[in-house]
Amino acid sequence: MEDSRNTSGFLRDHNYSTEADIISTVEFNPSGELLATGDKGGRVVVFQREQESKNQPHRRGEYNVYSTFQSHEPEFDYLKSLEIEEKINKIRWLPQQNAAYFLLSTNDKTVKLWKISERDKRPEGYNLKDEDGRVRDPATITTLRVPVLQPMDLMVEASARRVFCNAHAYHINSISINSDGQTFMSTDDLRINLWNLEVTDSSFNMVDMKPVNMEDLTEVITNAEFHPQHCNTFAYSSSKGSIRLCDMRDAALCDKHSKFFEEPEDPSNRSFFSEIISSISDVKFSHSGRYLMTRDYLTVKVWDLNMESKPLETYQVHDYLRGKLCSLYENDCIFDKFECVWNGSDSVIMTGSYNNFFRMFDRNTKRDVTLEASRENSKPRAVLKPRRVCVGGKRRKDEISVDSLDFSKKILHTGWHPSENIIAVAATNNLYIFQDKIN
């Protein structure tokens, strides 16, 4: 965003109240007309962008609920005596081919392909059924009728078209759709599987990090994503802070990477928490395909695919927490997995923090800003004011002390419209949408 301070809220926040309603993923579709959220209760809510109208120009870009459906139900694995949560871990949209929309949603074990379509006509005048749908007595049928389509109120239907299951022994942490439009991959802690969208009963194992002896396990896979243009290339990140770039043309099993990105640790910064905070929670290719962005606990890094030795850019998200790692470890916050997103032109990156703060970094001007998603600024066209965190010493009027941050309020999931300055921010159990200020 050219000036993030001109960011204004234009949608009432969608307030939820129970644990099941906590938002667990946010994703715009490729056109930006739809926005999907998944929650811990296994539901998917799809919002549709309002069309601009001359009568209400101020409603430009407002998103309203388009469809809500139950994607996953809680299950129980009797062989392992394990409960399988219904929580939606990731949603990914397929490129639109016709009037219907398709998306993939996954919980810990099962990926589902959903079709979302509109229906505004219904057939009437069946021969064998009456208007209520009851089967007629064949003896009463004396004439042949041709059914006709009659207009009806618009209905949005969501139907499960494919179910991809029984391929992961560990929890699925990410899914990614290939640019070929025919395949996708699902990733768990130790394996990456490649699926064909038309085949549900088998998948191909591309990466297997499981050691012969599990006691030798030193790292796990945290995320994986396909390159946006090259269907043979994908990257996956690990809990050790490294990223491996793989080429599926090299070998069927990608157990050898073509490139390896890792920043050597400064020995002077070494601490008990070093390994935990270096774990990468998100990896995203830029839209151009030239860069990789990774998020660890304290920083966002941008890597050039042509330079493996060190990141091109490093942005401190909340460096003021470095002195609080001990208490963050005790309350488990140090294990939070923050996501990061690019804007449409790859010039600005956004990621979340605590106290319902989210950060934006302009790669060209090197300016950054901290903004807050809260009820006060969720009123339509309310302008967001930059926030600052102070560490010790004297606190200014507009600053907030690091000791008074609320770590139960965290922004883990964010989304950015693919071509416009519209962002979606999930603050625990509320969804906020902001856009550049309309003059």
Side-chain angles (χ1 to χ4, degrees):
M1 291 192 173
E2 291 173 6
D3 186 352
S4 299
R5 284 168 292 190
N6 282 345
T7 309
S8 59
F10 68 105
L11 178 73
R12 62 196 177 279
D13 60 329
H14 294 270
N15 186 29
Y16 304 101
S17 54
T18 66
E19 175 79 12
D21 294 316
I22 291 175
I23 298 171
S24 52
T25 184
V26 177
E27 187 79 6
F28 280 97
N29 79 329
S31 70
E33 291 305 300
L34 298 180
L35 168 67
T37 65
D39 63 27
K40 283 193 171 183
R43 289 182 301 271
V44 172
V45 181
V46 180
F47 299 89
Q48 184 181 44
R49 193 178 185 188
E50 284 286 313
Q51 297 302 311
E52 240 181 297
S53 68
K54 292 179 181 177
N55 303 335
Q56 296 174 306
H58 67 276
R59 286 173 67 92
R60 182 189 81 145
E62 183 169 323
Y63 283 77
N64 289 316
V65 175
Y66 179 62
S67 175
T68 303
F69 58 93
Q70 188 72 30
S71 174
H72 287 71
E73 301 280 357
E75 297 174 52
F76 191 80
D77 186 334
Y78 291 96
L79 290 175
K80 296 180 179 176
S81 294
L82 277 178
E83 287 185 21
I84 302 170
E85 280 188 306
E86 63 270 40
K87 174 191 166 198
I88 308 294
N89 292 340
K90 283 285 187 293
I91 289 173
R92 290 290 180 264
W93 291 91
L94 274 66
Q96 192 174 359
Q97 307 288 343
N98 50 38
Y101 302 96
F102 289 86
L103 63 81
L104 288 173
S105 64
T106 184
N107 67 349
D108 287 340
K109 297 291 182 186
T110 305
V111 183
K112 293 185 181 182
L113 174 67
W114 289 90
K115 177 184 179 182
I116 301 169
S117 55
E118 295 181 355
R119 191 151 61 96
D120 60 359
K121 291 183 174 64
R122 67 165 176 263
E124 287 184 359
Y126 286 111
N127 287 287
L128 301 178
K129 293 179 183 175
D130 61 23
E131 303 309 327
D132 298 327
R134 287 176 298 203
V135 179
R136 295 167 63 191
D137 182 357
T140 64
I141 302 172
T142 56
T143 57
L144 181 66
R145 294 190 296 179
V146 177
V148 294
L149 291 173
Q150 296 288 358
M152 59 175 276
D153 292 338
L154 178 68
M155 275 182 62
V156 180
E157 297 178 318
S159 54
R161 304 307 298 267
R162 307 265 192 283
V163 178
F164 307 90
C165 56
N166 302 324
H168 287 278
Y170 306 95
H171 291 176
I172 299 172
N173 54 45
S174 59
I175 49 177
S176 180
I177 294 166
N178 202 345
S179 59
D180 63 11
Q182 298 175 342
T183 56
F184 74 94
M185 65 179 171
S186 56
T187 307
D188 67 27
D189 292 344
L190 296 176
R191 294 192 176 105
I192 301 177
N193 292 332
L194 181 70
W195 301 81
N196 187 302
L197 284 162
E198 301 296 325
V199 181
T200 60
D201 57 359
S202 63
S203 63
F204 180 75
N205 181 223
M206 294 195 296
V207 175
D208 190 347
M209 290 182 68
K210 186 178 181 181
V212 177
N213 183 354
M214 284 296 278
E215 289 180 3
D216 299 332
L217 184 67
T218 58
E219 65 179 325
V220 295
I221 304 169
T222 56
N223 221 299
E225 186 172 78
F226 272 118
H227 190 281
Q229 285 94 34
H230 306 311
C231 61
N232 54 283
T233 305
F234 67 95
Y236 67 93
S237 58
S238 87
S239 57
K240 276 194 165 179
S242 60
I243 308 104
R244 292 169 174 85
L245 194 71
C246 298
D247 190 332
M248 292 192 286
R249 296 172 299 186
D250 287 343
L253 183 65
C254 300
D255 51 358
K256 291 187 175 65
H257 46 267
S258 53
K259 291 193 176 184
F260 183 79
F261 304 88
E262 186 176 49
E263 186 174 29
E265 190 188 2
D266 183 352
S268 62
N269 286 338
R270 179 88 188 152
S271 75
F272 171 77
F273 306 106
S274 296
E275 199 166 312
I276 301 172
I277 64 173
S278 66
S279 176
I280 294 173
S281 55
D282 199 12
V283 58
K284 293 269 172 64
F285 279 100
S286 62
H287 295 88
S288 67
R290 171 72 187 271
Y291 305 103
L292 261 176
M293 173 169 57
T294 60
R295 171 72 207 262
D296 57 40
Y297 190 67
L298 293 176
T299 65
V300 172
K301 292 171 182 166
V302 175
W303 302 80
D304 188 319
L305 291 190
N306 298 323
M307 185 172 74
E308 299 170 63
S309 57
K310 61 178 181 179
L312 193 66
E313 301 154 21
T314 300
Y315 300 98
Q316 299 295 334
V317 179
H318 38 216
D319 202 46
Y320 46 78
L321 296 181
R322 202 173 283 276
K324 293 195 158 294
L325 294 178
C326 192
S327 58
L328 290 164
Y329 178 78
E330 288 169 357
N331 63 16
D332 282 348
C333 285
I334 202 167
F335 301 105
D336 286 333
K337 293 175 171 57
F338 293 94
E339 295 175 5
C340 51
V341 287
W342 301 90
N343 72 338
S345 61
D346 299 332
S347 60
V348 183
I349 55 185
M350 174 174 65
T351 190
S353 181
Y354 294 104
N355 211 70
N356 280 2
F357 288 167
F358 57 99
R359 304 268 283 136
M360 287 185 178
F361 303 94
D362 190 311
R363 298 180 60 212
N364 298 325
T365 65
K366 302 305 176 189
R367 288 171 58 198
D368 64 87
V369 66
T370 302
L371 300 169
E372 182 182 7
S374 68
R375 289 184 165 279
E376 288 70 46
N377 55 36
S378 67
K379 298 179 179 69
R381 293 175 300 288
V383 178
L384 293 182
K385 294 183 176 61
R387 303 301 306 267
R388 287 180 182 82
V389 178
C390 96
V391 184
K394 219 172 175 184
R395 186 166 62 89
R396 292 184 191 162
K397 187 178 71 172
D398 59 342
E399 289 183 333
I400 181 168
S401 166
V402 67
D403 295 319
S404 57
L405 293 175
D406 187 344
F407 293 105
S408 66
K409 294 179 177 177
K410 56 192 84 169
I411 291 177
L412 303 176
H413 314 288
T414 55
W416 203 310
H417 190 288
S419 57
E420 296 182 38
N421 278 339
I422 299 175
I423 58 172
V425 175
T428 314
N429 54 355
N430 295 290
L431 176 68
Y432 299 89
I433 301 178
F434 303 103
Q435 74 170 35
D436 261 3
K437 194 167 86 174
I438 305 164
N439 296 324

